[in-house]
Amino acid sequence: MFGPLILAAARSPRMRGLVTGVPLTRGVVDRFIAGEGLDDVLGAVRELTDAGLSVTLDHLGEDTVEAGQAAAARDAYLALFELLGSAGLAAGGDASLKLSALGQALDAGLALGHAQDICAAASEAGMTVTLDMEDHTTVDSTLETLGKLRGDFPWVGVAVQSMLRRTAGDLRDLAHEGSRVRLVKGAYAEPASVAYQDRASIDRAYVRDLRLLMEGDGHPMIGSHDPRIIEIALALASVTERPADTYEFQMLYGIRADEQRRLADAGQRMRVYVPYGADWYGYFMRRLAERPANLAFFLRSFVSR
Ligand SMILES: Cc1cc2nc3c(=O)[nH]c(=O)nc-3n(C[C@H](O)[C@H](O)[C@H](O)COP(=O)(O)OP(=O)(O)OC[C@H]3O[C@@H](n4cnc5c(N)ncnc54)[C@H](O)[C@@H]3O)c2cc1C
């Protein structure tokens, strides 16, 4: 019931000021975000990789409206790769990019140029890159940018959202050999004209899309914490006789951490999405919207003060 309201608040500058201006928000935020600085992210990556998990790193930021900010987002990724490289933690890592942070809304060419720089640096470091998917108005331009990036960097991955009605069609083009595709339910408030609205329809669509990916030739990345989805993915892997290194599970930092380790210990590939940086507001609000218990926890932290 509160989900759509929270997602609307995620886009409100006034709410952003209110939420981020309260010092004790920090304690709740820390559950979902590795920290603001590069030292924090380095510590989180070390801990996860020591436990046998892989990572995809998200330098937080979105909806950039200035070219300078877009360049700064690119530079943040370049600095991250350098640091991971010198710490011996780069190999096998992945970076998650939001094209809106790289200036997609200002000029798709600008965002593409920054993404190319990031991919070139990732490649040098022995890492890969995955494009996050944002709200439905950005899907066409994100897939177009993906196509251009894959010309030089065929390993670039992309997220697709089962809640969008178009996704099964997009997957028919994406599920080819070598194609890295992260399947998620979708975290944005979308109109009924383009997206399934109720949980059961979204879950059904997820299973249909998952089957397309697992039966295809690409590299499926199963981005979900849902126990039923994980069971179904394991069953599909078994039926399609997919070796464990041809697909992977992905979960968000701080969510079902025990399950992340359990799957890794059971021989599954598990990659944790690790967000870091100062611009955590939009990401944090989407995590609150996903689960009423998170909102209750957040509100309780004010009351118990
Ligand atoms: C690696 C990864 C990358 C993602 N990238 C994108 C992207 O690019 N674009 C996009 O739109 N969305 C993205 N998402 C978010 C996704 O769309 C969903 O909003 C989110 O994963 C919740 O859906 P679920 O599949 O976990 O299932 P749900 O049915 O929402 O949750 C299943 C169970 O997981 C646990 N859980 C789920 N969310 C939370 C939470 N916030 N806090 C605590 N417990 C929780 C609960 O136990 C819950 O019962 C990503 C998710 C993951 C895991």
Side-chain angles (χ1 to χ4, degrees), residues 112-303:
L112 173 64
H114 290 335
Q116 280 166 329
D117 292 346
I118 291 170
C119 288
S123 172
E124 197 131 302
M127 296 178 64
T128 51
V129 168
T130 303
L131 303 182
D132 281 355
M133 193 57 84
E134 302 179 66
D135 72 68
H136 79 276
T137 63
T138 66
V139 177
D140 282 330
S141 58
T142 300
L143 293 179
E144 203 173 305
T145 300
L146 174 77
K148 290 178 181 157
L149 289 172
R150 280 184 169 177
D152 289 324
F153 311 103
W155 39 259
V156 176
V158 70
V160 296
Q161 302 148 323
S162 286
M163 74 182 296
L164 295 186
R165 297 177 194 277
R166 61 177 285 168
T167 293
D170 291 335
L171 283 178
R172 282 180 229 286
D173 296 332
L174 284 169
H176 56 78
E177 197 177 334
S179 175
R180 297 172 59 251
V181 180
R182 175 200 298 152
L183 184 63
V184 298
K185 290 185 184 175
Y188 294 82
E190 303 286 12
S193 53
V194 300
Y196 304 110
Q197 302 290 308
D198 61 289
R199 218 160 244 286
S201 306
I202 297 170
D203 288 357
R204 260 198 308 276
Y206 193 105
V207 173
R208 175 202 63 199
D209 297 340
L210 182 59
R211 176 167 287 136
L212 279 173
L213 282 177
M214 295 297 275
E215 288 174 354
D217 296 323
H219 180 85
M221 303 185 280
I222 303 142
S224 179
H225 315 90
D226 185 335
R228 282 178 314 156
I229 296 288
I230 289 156
E231 279 308 308
I232 292 169
L234 290 169
L236 282 169
S238 162
V239 169
T240 55
E241 298 181 353
R242 262 185 179 271
D245 62 351
T246 66
Y247 65 95
E248 65 190 57
F249 289 97
Q250 296 192 350
M251 292 190 190
L252 301 176
Y253 180 83
I255 300 182
R256 302 203 71 207
D258 291 347
E259 178 67 359
Q260 294 172 10
R261 282 168 171 72
R262 189 191 70 78
L263 282 164
D265 291 347
Q268 297 295 323
R269 283 188 162 195
M270 169 58 69
R271 191 180 294 278
V272 182
Y273 185 108
V274 182
Y276 74 99
D279 193 1
W280 45 260
Y281 177 72
Y283 179 90
F284 174 66
M285 293 299 274
R286 288 193 291 278
R287 301 297 76 81
L288 287 191
E290 273 156 8
R291 203 161 180 240
N294 291 344
L295 178 63
F297 179 55
F298 177 55
L299 294 175
R300 257 201 317 275
S301 72
F302 287 88
V303 177

Side-chain angles (χ1 to χ4, degrees), residues 75-95:
D75 293 346
Y77 278 100
L78 303 188
L80 172 70
F81 299 154
E82 212 171 299
L83 182 74
L84 290 172
S86 55
L89 291 169
D94 182 73

